[in-house]
């Protein structure tokens, strides 16, 4: 008997998870145990928000955030247990990656036969997850959605539906759109089962109560504390109205970003990165279209196929895609790709003359990509720095220069404005309620005023200002509302260091004494809901 065969599923699952742990550890830590810092400003915003909460600030009331507070609460708990340590997001990523990998194996084994059932999970770990080592809210919501799918993919029961609804509610507490649309996906699958005669209408109505009751109870209980502390009006504006009104005006938050984030493919050895980028964009949502076409054409000819389970996986995948379809960047597509990879594994394992060749080729490609990523991590440029939160290895030379400048000119606990990633790494404070400012409608006039007030109220010696904020708006966009802030900085600060790069320049400004500073603009009230 083959040592790693489908006859020993637990052993093969354990081997994949152990290999996955080693693979992730080598990509997230420099041996023996120094964490690597990746360019992930999205995740560091949530980490810094959690530290603000640890210092007594209240999310939504004292600082702005447009997602529900699940990610901040998770990191706040870890900070209270372990302290603000550099390894926290890296260990979190290992746990997230292996957990989703296990759930994918569990789901795949219900719809794919043989060893091929393990291919989607390995593909996920090596391509989408490794490409986006960013411990942000998307991965948390994906974990709970896949958990819900794993519960119901085999069969439905009252307990499983209640649990799945609650898990979708937890997913919504990290990413509103993912959790909500996942629950809608469960409802649509039950509607399909009812229309095909597999479920009665009375059972369908009962199942809706099992799904939506726990969903809303979990969302309410998770957020009621923050609603009380911040106020219903502020909570409602930050988490719902702002998203509806202004989210799409942010850079990278509209459908126009589709396939615009092309990676550099010079020199030639970076061509695999371009191939991976194209693979993800072609896979999602094309794989769902191909599946539904095959289901329509072959559902009668392939009675042995688990069509009902495959339909559930496909519907959930479509719903996850719709949760990011308004701004389908490569990063977001990677983070909703798990159901699509399961369907890809089913396609590759579909009976035919080239079945064995297809599967063997994909296993070889995955192994080559994994080795190439590890090689790049080991032999690429890196520099260790001693930060207030612990030793860390930096992989980007521009970022290293930024960190080194602040290490030489600031102390932990001081105020610094302009980059919350640097605030988090160097244990600094932010005078602004915003995680960042933009030159679009995404940053509102009243938020600019609150930032100026914070700069006046707190002793902010250094400010970070990227030149991208001074660039003219793109066609069809307004000029934004940063002019008062830029005027204030010009009258109170001067540039002391500029760090250039291929994309834009980063400037550090130091506060100077002004004999006659310009008057501040009048405060702008918050708009009513």
């Amino acid at each position: 008997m083959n040592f790693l065969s489908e006859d020993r599923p637990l052993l093969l699952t354990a081997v994949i998870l152990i290999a996955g742990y080693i693979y992730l550890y080598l990509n997230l830590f420099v041996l023996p145990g120094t964490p690597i810092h990746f360019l992930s400003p999205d995740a560091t915003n949530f980490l810094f928000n959690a530290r603000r909460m640890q210092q007594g600030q209240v999310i939504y009331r004292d600082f702005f955030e447009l997602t529900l507070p699940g990610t901040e609460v998770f990191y706040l708990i870890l900070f209270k247990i372990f302290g603000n340590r550099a390894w926290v997001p890296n260990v979190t990523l290992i746990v997230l990656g292996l957990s989703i990998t296990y759930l994918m194996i569990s789901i795949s084994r219900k719809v794919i036969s043989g060893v091929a059932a393990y291919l989607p999970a390995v593909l996920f770990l090596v391509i989408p997850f490794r490409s986006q080592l960013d411990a942000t809210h998307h991965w948390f919501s994906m974990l709970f959605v896949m958990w819900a799918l794993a519960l119901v993919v085999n069969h439905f029961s009252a307990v499983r539906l209640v649990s799945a609804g609650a898990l979708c509610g937890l997913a919504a507490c990290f990413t509103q759109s993912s959790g909500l649309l996942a629950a809608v996906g469960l409802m649509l699958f039950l509607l399909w089962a009812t229309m095909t005669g597999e479920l009665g209408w009375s059972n369908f109505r009962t199942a809706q109560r099992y799904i939506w009751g726990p969903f809303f109870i979990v969302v309410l209980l998770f957020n009621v504390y923050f609603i009380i502390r911040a106020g219903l009006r502020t909570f409602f504006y930050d988490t719902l109205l702002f998203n509806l009104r202004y989210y799409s005006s942010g850079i990278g938050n509209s459908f126009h970003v589709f396939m615009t984030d092309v990676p550099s493919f010079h020199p030639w050895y970076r061509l695999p990165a371009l191939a991976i980028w194209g693979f993800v964009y072609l896979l999602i949502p094309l794989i769902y279209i191909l599946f539904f076409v095959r289901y329509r054409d072959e559902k009668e000819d392939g009675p042995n196929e688990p069509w009902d389970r495959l339909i559930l996986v496909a519907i959930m995948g479509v719903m996850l895609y719709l949760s990011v379809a308004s701004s389908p960047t490569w990063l977001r597509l990677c983070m909703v790709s798990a159901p699509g990879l399961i369907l890809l594994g089913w396609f590759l394992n579909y009976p035919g003359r080239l079945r064995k060749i297809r599967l063997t080729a994909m296993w070889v490609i995955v192994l080559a990509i994994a080795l190439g990523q590890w090689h790049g991590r080991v032999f690429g440029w890196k520099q260790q720095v001693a930060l207030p939160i612990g030793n860390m290895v930096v992989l980007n030379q521009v970022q290293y220069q930024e960190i080194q400048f602040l290490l030489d000119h600031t102390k932990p606990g001081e105020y610094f404005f302009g980059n919350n990633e640097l605030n988090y790494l160097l244990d600094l404070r932010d005078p602004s309620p915003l995680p960042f400012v933009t030159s679009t409608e995404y940053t509102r006039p009243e938020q600019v005023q609150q930032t100026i007030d914070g700069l006046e109220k707190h002793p902010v010696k250094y400010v970070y200002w990227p030149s991208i904020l001074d660039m003219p708006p793109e066609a069809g966009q307004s000029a934004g509302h940063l002019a008062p802030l830029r005027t204030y900085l010009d009258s109170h600060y001067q540039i002391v260091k500029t760090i250039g790069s291929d994309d834009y320049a980063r400037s550090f400004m130091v506060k100077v004494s002004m004999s006659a500073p310009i008057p501040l603009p009048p405060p702008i009230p918050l708009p009513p809901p």
Side-chain angles (χ1 to χ4, degrees):
M1 181 183 295
N2 187 359
F3 177 70
L4 298 179
S5 72
E6 58 180 304
D7 299 320
R8 297 182 175 184
L10 293 180
L11 179 59
L12 184 52
T13 300
V15 168
I16 289 177
L17 292 178
I18 293 172
Y21 170 78
I22 297 172
Y23 170 72
L24 289 178
Y25 190 89
L26 293 177
N27 279 276
L28 287 162
F29 289 87
V30 172
L31 295 176
T34 306
I36 299 173
H37 178 64
F38 291 86
L39 297 176
S40 53
D42 193 21
T44 47
N45 283 335
F46 293 103
L47 289 160
F48 187 70
N49 286 348
R51 199 168 68 199
R52 280 180 150 178
M53 294 167 67
Q54 188 181 25
Q55 294 167 347
Q57 297 187 43
V58 177
I59 188 172
Y60 310 120
R61 186 193 70 184
D62 298 322
F63 58 92
F64 174 78
E65 180 52 56
L66 53 81
T67 64
L68 293 182
T71 314
E72 285 87 354
V73 171
F74 174 84
Y75 284 126
L76 177 62
I77 293 172
L78 292 186
F79 288 164
K80 286 184 175 295
I81 297 173
F82 302 107
N84 303 339
R85 307 308 302 162
W87 53 260
V88 165
N90 299 55
V91 172
T92 298
L93 280 168
I94 291 177
V95 175
L96 283 170
L98 295 181
S99 298
I100 299 175
T101 299
Y102 174 77
L103 292 171
M104 288 187 66
I105 292 173
S106 178
I107 297 167
S108 296
R109 289 182 57 212
K110 302 299 190 301
V111 297
I112 305 174
S113 62
V115 179
Y118 300 87
L119 178 59
V122 177
L123 263 173
F124 165 81
L125 203 60
V126 172
I127 296 182
F129 191 78
R130 169 57 184 79
S131 299
Q132 296 301 328
L133 289 175
D134 190 353
T136 185
H137 62 102
H138 292 288
W139 286 133
F140 289 98
S141 57
M142 173 58 67
L143 171 64
F144 290 113
V145 170
M146 296 302 291
W147 192 352
L149 179 57
L151 280 178
V152 298
V153 71
N154 195 29
H155 67 274
F156 282 86
S157 67
V159 173
R160 288 175 180 265
L161 284 175
V162 168
S163 301
L167 288 168
C168 289
L170 276 176
C173 293
F174 290 84
T175 311
Q176 296 97 304
S177 57
S178 295
L180 177 61
L181 288 175
V184 172
L186 293 177
M187 180 191 71
L188 291 177
F189 173 76
L190 293 173
L191 179 61
W192 171 84
T194 303
M195 296 180 67
T196 56
E198 297 184 20
L199 189 69
W201 283 105
S202 61
N203 291 333
F204 172 77
R205 290 189 292 269
T206 301
Q208 299 315 301
R209 294 195 295 269
Y210 291 153
I211 294 172
W212 293 106
F215 177 90
F216 287 113
I217 289 173
V218 167
V219 172
L220 178 61
L221 292 179
F222 196 98
N223 293 280
V224 65
Y225 170 81
F226 304 99
I227 294 174
I228 294 173
R229 294 296 306 275
L232 179 61
R233 178 176 178 271
T234 301
F235 178 88
F236 184 71
Y237 175 80
D238 284 10
T239 60
L240 181 61
L241 289 183
F242 182 90
N243 286 280
L244 295 176
R245 292 178 178 176
Y246 308 117
Y247 178 79
S248 60
S249 62
I251 298 175
N253 292 342
S254 69
F255 188 78
H256 300 292
V257 302
F258 183 73
M259 298 195 79
T260 59
D261 47 359
V262 184
S264 172
F265 50 91
H266 297 290
W268 65 269
Y269 54 77
R270 290 191 59 87
L271 286 175
L274 180 63
I276 294 174
W277 172 86
F279 168 78
V280 173
Y281 265 118
L282 289 176
L283 180 71
I284 310 295
L286 181 61
I287 192 69
Y288 304 119
I289 299 173
L290 294 175
F291 168 77
F292 284 115
V293 170
R294 173 162 286 188
Y295 169 71
R296 182 197 63 187
D297 295 339
E298 302 185 13
K299 61 181 178 179
E300 302 297 337
D301 300 330
N304 294 327
E305 292 294 333
W307 292 115
D308 53 346
R309 299 171 186 175
L310 289 166
I311 287 288
L312 175 59
V313 173
I315 290 177
M316 294 295 281
V318 170
M319 290 298 104
L320 287 173
Y321 171 75
L322 291 177
S323 71
V324 301
S326 62
S327 51
T329 62
W330 186 66
L331 178 149
R332 296 186 180 103
L333 291 179
C334 283
M335 292 179 172
V336 298
S337 63
L341 291 172
I342 293 175
L343 291 181
L344 175 64
W346 176 77
F347 270 98
L348 293 173
N349 194 50
Y350 204 75
R353 290 182 302 172
L354 300 179
R355 172 183 174 182
K356 188 173 182 179
I357 295 176
R358 293 193 302 262
L359 292 172
T360 303
M362 186 56 69
W363 281 110
V364 171
I365 291 172
V366 170
L367 180 61
I369 292 174
L371 291 176
Q373 292 168 340
W374 174 79
H375 180 274
R377 185 64 60 226
V378 170
F379 296 100
W381 185 92
K382 53 183 175 289
Q383 178 65 50
Q384 182 170 321
V385 291
L387 300 173
I389 61 175
N391 291 337
M392 179 174 283
V393 172
V394 179
L395 305 177
N396 183 277
Q397 298 187 45
V398 172
Q399 190 176 47
Y400 172 73
Q401 295 179 60
E402 295 173 346
I403 292 172
Q404 195 59 52
F405 176 83
L406 287 183
L407 279 174
D408 295 338
H409 295 86
T410 62
K411 296 179 181 179
E414 294 183 351
Y415 282 92
F416 170 74
F417 167 71
N419 190 313
N420 266 356
E421 187 171 8
L422 296 174
N423 275 328
Y424 165 73
L425 295 175
L426 286 95
D427 198 19
L428 302 172
R429 294 173 177 263
D430 191 349
S432 170
L434 304 179
F436 52 85
V437 295
T438 72
S439 57
T440 68
E441 293 290 333
Y442 187 92
T443 301
R444 309 305 305 145
E446 63 275 7
Q447 294 175 330
V448 173
Q449 180 60 48
Q450 291 168 352
T451 298
I452 295 175
D453 293 342
L455 290 168
E456 279 288 293
K457 179 180 178 181
H458 301 288
V460 185
K461 184 177 181 181
Y462 289 98
V463 166
Y464 178 91
W465 191 266
S467 62
I468 194 172
L469 296 178
D470 295 324
M471 295 180 181
E474 297 181 4
Q477 289 188 337
S478 63
H481 308 283
L482 290 185
L485 176 60
R486 183 59 174 164
T487 302
Y488 176 85
L489 294 178
D490 287 340
S491 63
H492 292 76
Y493 292 81
Q494 66 180 15
I495 296 176
V496 292
K497 184 176 180 63
T498 298
I499 300 173
S501 67
D502 294 338
D503 44 10
Y504 55 87
R506 287 91 162 158
S507 295
F508 287 93
M509 308 171 75
V510 64
K511 193 168 187 177
V512 295
S513 176
M514 300 293 295
S515 58
I518 62 170
L520 295 178
I524 301 174
L526 289 170

